[in-house]
Amino acid sequence: MRRLYQARDRIEAQFLHDLLDQHRISAAILGDYLSGAAGELPLDIYPTVWVTDDDDLPRAQALLARFLERTKMQVGSSWVCPNCGEPVEPGFDLCWNCGRERE
Ligand SMILES: [Zn+2]
């Protein structure tokens, strides 16, 4: 298992995880549950995205680069999924939670 990326927050980590999943790359998010578990822990524990299979790392890094590029180009405001009600960041046309397309 190889560390791919340290996310800003749980939502970003989840987006990246879902993107990898769509490309059949097995990944895991570590660390986010720690920050929610105990108030004494330092605040600089961010969720990290790990690639399960080392052989997938080059592909995962390529996807990460695209992912970050897309995040940078975000315009407008976030939207709320009409299906499940989850907030979705601008720049994404699919709900991270249920996969529904933006209307
Ligand atoms: Zn949804």
Side-chain angles (χ1 to χ4, degrees):
M1 192 147 100
R2 301 285 297 273
R3 189 169 114 155
L4 176 65
Y5 180 62
Q6 179 176 290
R8 285 175 316 199
D9 52 35
R10 164 79 205 195
I11 293 176
E12 189 185 30
Q14 188 65 50
F15 269 126
L16 181 59
H17 181 273
D18 289 352
L19 179 69
L20 294 170
D21 193 53
Q22 284 163 17
H23 290 81
R24 300 183 197 286
I25 295 174
S26 174
I29 300 171
L30 298 181
D32 60 309
Y33 54 89
L34 289 173
S35 54
E40 301 83 7
L41 287 166
L43 290 174
D44 60 351
I45 296 180
Y46 295 105
T48 48
V49 180
W50 295 70
V51 175
T52 310
D53 188 339
D54 291 7
D55 293 341
D56 283 335
L57 193 62
R59 280 174 62 219
Q61 285 170 334
L63 286 166
L64 172 64
R66 275 170 52 194
F67 172 79
L68 294 176
E69 193 61 34
R70 217 167 139 187
T71 306
K72 239 192 314 183
M73 292 190 308
Q74 282 182 11
V75 284
S77 54
S78 53
W79 52 286
V80 173
C81 175
N83 187 47
C84 68
E86 287 291 334
V88 183
E89 291 193 0
F92 292 92
D93 295 328
L94 292 178
C95 172
W96 63 269
N97 187 46
C98 69
R100 173 158 175 162
E101 277 189 54
R102 184 179 195 164
E103 289 187 328

